[in-house]
Amino acid sequence: MGRIAGLIGQAENLHTPLTRKITQFSRILLYVILGLAAVTFVVGILRGESWVTMFMAAVALAVGAIPEGLPAALTITLAIGVARMARRRAIIRKLPAVETLGSTTVICSDKTGTLTQNQMTVQEIHAGGRRYHVTGSGYEAEGKIHFEQAPVVVGENVALIETLGAGLLCNDSRLVRNGEGRTIVQGDPTEAALIVAAQKAGLSQEEWSGRLPRIDAIPFESEYQYMATLHGVGHEPKMIYIKGSVEALLERCAHTLSEAGELALLDKAIVLRNAEDMAARGLRVLAFARREMPPAQRGLEHEHIAAELTFLGLQGKLDPPRPEAIAAVAKCKSAGIRVKMITGDHILTAKAIAAQIGLDSGAEVVALTGRDLETLTDEELAAAADRASVFARVAPEQKLRLVKALQSRGHIVAMTGDGVNDAPALKQADIGIAMGITGTDVSKEAADMILTDDNFASIEAAVEEGRGVFDNLTKFIVWTLPTNFGEGLVILAAVFAGAILPILPVQILWINMTTAILLGLMLVFEPKEREIMGRPPRDPKMPILTGWLQIRILLVSLVMLAGCFTLFEWEQHRGASAAEARTVAVNVFVMVELFYLFNCRSFTRSMFTVGLLSNPWVILGSLAMIALQLLFTYTSAMNKLFHSAPIGWDAWWRILAVAAFAHFIVGVEKTITNRMRKAAPL
């Protein structure tokens, strides 16, 4: 645990792509607003205006240009994303992680239980020089063990019995019946499969444990790749049973068990070939061994199983891929997201499962082992990690190195894990994903997100929701900035022209706060666009607003500026009071925002293509905004509070004409932009 704690300490707390982009965006916006306010103040003073008047104008410009609703929109959008992800079995622990998922370019996933069903079934056993096939599936003991298509007789092969018995004794799991009479697993499904296989040969875990009770144990650790238990009764010789990876156990074995008893293990290559053959067919292979405990020894230590083991046999378990994981991997690939499998299994097993799932588009899955990674420098590892799709027999330190290597290549990395050993990599990843069913408390604490069903398909669903969150947040920013810039430009133009302000600071606050709540926030409920998982991941270096969106914001700002000033001057020319002219100007801003809202529901499509009623919140917000604006214009209390005044109904036609023109201009801009973007993206 101390070593893992040290690795967790080495992992960095990275800023999410969203927080980095919002910070950069806010800094730029601050400099622009301060610059424009300073210019406004200086120009007014140079024109002979009073200091007080120019200070109020500069404040009005700053109030107008600051998007007050952005923090609320950001929080609400992320919160709605959290709720949507929870419905799709992904629990978010840290709010910005919602958007980070939408930026993901690489998902590093565990195999067992995440990409596969985690329903282990022993299908093949090698023991005493023979290969046995096991029938049946699941955790019910329905099936037989066959040799050359004939059921085996219990006791005819001592190596087979000892191999199955080792699986019963070196085991921390149990099979129990629930209230419905179904068999359920208490513990690791991998160990449960060993119990079922032994039951098919007529062996009982209770009987073996009663005859050879456990005295001591060494739990499985990825560093050693084995588990060992010590068994015995009274003063009789004690026996150690070990299960683990073929590579870890075979190098410690000096003997093998056969019908003739224990013999020298002369040809380890045969065992390796059998294991590789099983692994190449997608079976997860475990090796079993035993050793009599050296005399005068009490507790079980690693040194007791460092050599002189007797090899018993191999058991190969099948854990089929999840059908939904196969579909989810295909969706990720179409979305430009690389999926990489990290597993403790044999490399051939991992490659076979990866091929079934469709991880790699090439003719052969590119795979590396932990030993391969040990020989690579950080630069070489970065290139290798980018290229490979499968990593087998990987240690915790190497998982951490893999995440850092991928991040050094500019990737936004999502990493799954369930054990204590996975915590450092989960913390280092841009989005750490812990397993809710099999995950430890340490892994959950280090993660940003927890899967309640341990299913890779839930990760893909969360990525989809994350992309939708970023889309809706961007839509809000694209909607709100033209108003802020337009208001700032109106103040700036009035100062340069030496005219009275078309809108007052208090009226700017009214516009910004009411429209942000009733109009802009309705965009956070916008459904995801159909092609959202058909796009490539966003470039982490790309700003929130692309060049095309910046052009759109500027275009709408200029329409607001022109419409506001034109109608303000028009009303004054017709003899309207300053309060009436300002009321018209305020309504121009509100109505342009309302019409523009429907354009912002999609970056590329019209509101009719999106579906006018697909987001009823937009309709409800628009109706509420119209009602509130009528109160602003025609009630005496609001007139007194906001310096507004009733206007003639003919003025509304001119206001609506400006709003309709803005909507039309953006529609034309979308059409032109869609054509130009294909030729030269900005």
Side-chain angles (χ1 to χ4, degrees), residues 299-323:
L300 184 59
E301 303 291 343
H302 288 289
E303 64 188 55
H304 299 145
I305 48 180
E308 296 301 319
L309 302 184
T310 298
F311 176 76
L312 300 176
L314 306 172
Q315 293 195 50
K317 303 174 293 300
L318 180 66
D319 185 16
R322 293 178 182 261

Side-chain angles (χ1 to χ4, degrees), residues 422-442:
D422 296 324
L426 292 177
K427 184 178 179 183
Q428 175 67 34
D430 297 278
I431 174 78
I433 305 171
M435 302 297 109
I437 299 174
T438 61
T440 61
D441 290 340
V442 175

